[in-house]
Amino acid sequence: MKIGIIGTGYVGLPTGVGFAELGNEVVCVDKIKEKIDMLKRGELTLYEDGLAEMFDKNIKEGRLTFTTSMRKAVEDADLVIIAVGTPPHPVTHEADMKYIHAAATELASYLTGYTVIATKSTVPVGTGDDIEQLITSKNPTARFDVISLPEFLREGFAIHDFFNPDRIVVGTNSEKAANLIKELYAPFADKTNMLFIKRQSAETVKYASNAFLAIKIHYINEMADFCEKTGAEIAEVAKGMGLDSRIGPKFLNPGPGYGGSCFPKDTMAMAYMARQNNVDMTLVKAAIDGNVARKKKMAERIINSVQYIKNPKIAVLGLAFKNGTDDCRQSPAMDIVQNLLEMNPEIDIVAFDPKAMGNACQILGDKIQYADNMYAALKDADVLAILTEWSEFKNLDLAVAAELMRGKKIIDCRNMIDKNKAENAGFSYQGIGK
Ligand code: NAD
């Protein structure tokens, strides 16, 4: 099958590589020339576990190419996948559709033969209708179906999730389009659920899922606060809850709040759509407000631990919004660092992240310092704040850390370090929900 992918970001690139690996001929287009130049040179533009090998292999074998020409990606394609960004509108916080609309308008002229246009971007309900109208008005004779194909991959696990999807949701009432998608996903037919539903329902599934997960995280964070006041242990409470099959064990890890390019924007977009339709989504609103407060609370916790120190130095481990990715968009760690700098402009922050230093530096610039490794970040620090759950932080040698640090305090917002071991090494330790 010939597939054109519009947008080579965190969704488009792993998706393109994955479909090429399945034997399809994939052409990825992006409007950012620098990105395409890098990809053409065989250099990856983002970090994802397992992506590099498959990327190299499929370029070498000629199934994966990159271009800035929409024509090359769309002409003769059986399937065109739209994977451009839908960021929050700066004022209303609804999903900003300018990239989707531009992509649909641009691709319309190059359609040849029957083409399925699948929207993988997370888009408000009704977007499929808008895309259909945009294409028809630009190219009235084009033969195409617009379907919703929401993406559920988790950043950091994008390749794993591509090859092991827990469900494939397809929104269409066209039998022809449905058959093409069945053929595309035939290699996974035995191991996943394929759900063919109305386009509007498929568009809604993605928002409904992300809002639900955000609420689940907000809930366990509030429960962690409760444990801190009562002597209960959140890990034990979460385990007890998770054994109930109606609840399940996942997404019951408390932390510094949810982040990333999806949950914050998708909850805000969901709340906006609810308001537009006069539906009062109190839980979604509570999760949004609670999550903002959560990151501030974590920053206060860190700042309070150094309140009597003049020009305190804070070591930060972790800047990415979660482990396994270099993505810092809406990262709780980044927001906490910004909060810290606002609360006390005199503080000195030295940070380390195994993968996200480049992206973090683009956002924070020289407001903080960057260390080459986790031990370098600790030197002379008054407190260590762990903000992202990279597994290597679990193996921090506490004796070495105690030697390097000026203060003996750990604020562990990801519960990575064993409390007893930290205390035995001479630290005062504060985790979450303990
Ligand atoms: P991204 O910002 O990383 O990538 C989007 C890419 O699209 C950019 O490289 C941009 O240059 C390109 N682009 C924009 N307009 C274009 C055009 N007209 N022609 C060609 N290229 C164009 O975004 P992302 O994280 O990959 O997310 C894409 C969509 O997928 C969003 O709607 C997001 O909500 C959704 N989504 C993301 C994830 C995730 O984990 N990141 C998961 C599921 C769904």
Side-chain angles (χ1 to χ4, degrees):
M1 195 177 291
K2 184 180 169 197
I3 303 174
I5 302 210
I6 306 178
T8 57
Y10 284 86
V11 168
L13 186 56
T15 303
V17 170
F19 281 131
E21 178 72 13
L22 292 177
N24 299 287
E25 186 194 330
V26 177
V27 182
C28 296
V29 58
D30 204 289
K31 62 181 183 161
I32 300 179
K33 187 175 174 303
E34 295 76 38
K35 265 193 189 184
I36 293 298
D37 286 346
M38 271 181 81
L39 294 165
K40 276 182 167 171
R41 289 197 300 268
E43 294 165 27
L44 276 174
T45 46
L46 53 91
Y47 175 77
E48 268 296 337
D49 217 14
L51 182 62
E53 259 176 33
M54 227 175 256
F55 170 78
D56 291 345
K57 174 174 169 239
N58 282 282
I59 292 176
K60 269 193 201 105
E61 292 174 4
R63 285 188 299 272
L64 180 64
T65 53
F66 299 94
T67 179
T68 50
S69 156
M70 185 68 87
R71 176 195 291 275
K72 283 189 186 151
V74 172
E75 214 169 45
D76 301 327
D78 304 293
L79 171 68
V80 172
I81 293 176
I82 301 179
V84 301
T86 47
H89 187 280
V91 179
T92 60
H93 299 156
E94 68 194 286
D96 190 339
M97 300 303 287
K98 64 177 179 231
Y99 300 114
I100 294 278
H101 291 165
T105 310
E106 215 185 319
L107 74 86
S109 329
Y110 305 120
L111 292 172
T112 51
Y114 171 76
T115 315
V116 173
I117 294 145
T119 311
K120 263 207 180 292
S121 302
T122 302
V123 292
V125 60
T127 297
D129 302 343
D130 298 342
I131 295 176
E132 227 164 62
Q133 274 170 18
L134 282 167
I135 295 176
T136 308
S137 66
K138 190 90 194 279
N139 184 352
T141 57
R143 290 187 299 118
F144 67 95
D145 278 309
V146 175
I147 68 166
S148 168
L149 192 61
E151 179 55 63
F152 301 104
L153 66 77
R154 297 163 302 160
E155 269 181 45
F157 303 90
I159 289 294
H160 172 272
D161 290 352
F162 180 91
F163 288 96
N164 302 278
D166 51 11
R167 82 275 213 204
I168 291 156
V169 174
V170 188
T172 184
N173 54 10
S174 154
E175 209 182 314
K176 202 168 173 187
N179 285 338
L180 182 128
I181 295 300
K182 278 182 198 154
E183 189 191 327
L184 178 72
Y185 283 108
F188 305 140
D190 293 340
K191 59 173 183 181
T192 192
N193 297 304
M194 279 195 84
L195 184 65
F196 288 87
I197 54 181
K198 278 174 75 173
R199 195 163 65 194
Q200 290 90 334
S201 306
E203 289 166 342
T204 306
V205 167
K206 178 67 191 178
Y207 282 110
S209 301
N210 275 2
F212 183 83
L213 293 172
I215 290 166
K216 200 170 176 188
I217 293 171
H218 174 56
Y219 180 78
I220 202 68
N221 283 341
E222 286 194 334
M223 206 45 78
D225 287 346
F226 180 77
C227 289
E228 285 175 12
K229 296 273 161 73
T230 57
E233 287 280 337
I234 192 64
E236 294 173 356
V237 173
K239 196 163 189 189
M241 288 170 65
L243 290 171
D244 182 333
S245 60
R246 294 168 303 176
I247 297 173
K250 294 188 178 158
F251 272 70
L252 291 179
N253 292 325
Y258 58 77
S261 69
C262 290
F263 289 178
K265 89 172 167 62
D266 292 348
T267 44
M268 287 193 297
M270 184 72 249
Y272 176 86
M273 288 188 285
R275 276 199 306 281
Q276 294 301 101
N277 289 285
N278 291 321
V279 177
D280 195 11
M281 288 207 172
T282 55
L283 289 176
V284 177
K285 283 192 288 190
I288 294 169
D289 294 344
N291 199 54
V292 173
R294 179 91 191 150
K295 291 178 281 187
K296 201 153 171 252
K297 182 178 170 146
M298 292 299 119
E300 277 162 3
R301 194 173 270 198
I302 297 163
I303 216 95
N304 286 343
S305 73
V306 291
Q307 62 181 323
Y308 300 115
I309 300 168
K310 201 165 177 274
N311 299 332
K313 182 173 168 191
I314 298 174
V316 164
L317 291 186
L319 292 165
F321 87 92
K322 64 175 189 173
N323 61 330
T325 179
D326 61 352
D327 196 351
C328 289
R329 291 178 291 180
Q330 302 289 315
S331 164
M334 300 290 282
D335 286 350
I336 291 168
V337 166
Q338 306 260 29
N339 279 330
L340 288 170
L341 292 168
E342 276 163 31
M343 286 169 183
N344 180 356
E346 301 294 305
I347 55 169
D348 203 1
I349 298 179
V350 184
F352 171 72
D353 186 288
K355 298 286 177 205
M357 302 286 266
N359 285 340
C361 189
Q362 276 184 19
I363 300 170
L364 292 169
D366 59 5
K367 287 188 197 160
I368 66 166
Q369 296 169 54
Y370 304 91
D372 290 339
N373 59 63
M374 60 180 168
Y375 293 104
L378 300 182
K379 191 152 180 349
D380 298 330
D382 295 296
V383 60
L384 161 61
I386 301 179
L387 302 182
T388 309
E389 69 275 41
W390 287 102
S391 56
E392 65 189 82
F393 300 158
K394 260 194 189 145
N395 303 324
L396 181 74
D397 186 324
L398 291 162
V400 175
E403 286 267 305
L404 286 168
M405 287 174 65
R406 185 162 62 192
K408 303 282 175 279
K409 288 181 181 159
I410 297 176
I411 308 281
D412 185 356
C413 297
R414 297 288 187 173
N415 287 347
M416 299 297 286
I417 305 276
D418 183 275
K419 184 174 191 281
N420 291 331
K421 284 187 187 161
E423 287 175 352
N424 288 341
F427 285 99
S428 94
Y429 173 91
Q430 190 175 11
I432 303 283
K434 291 172 190 273

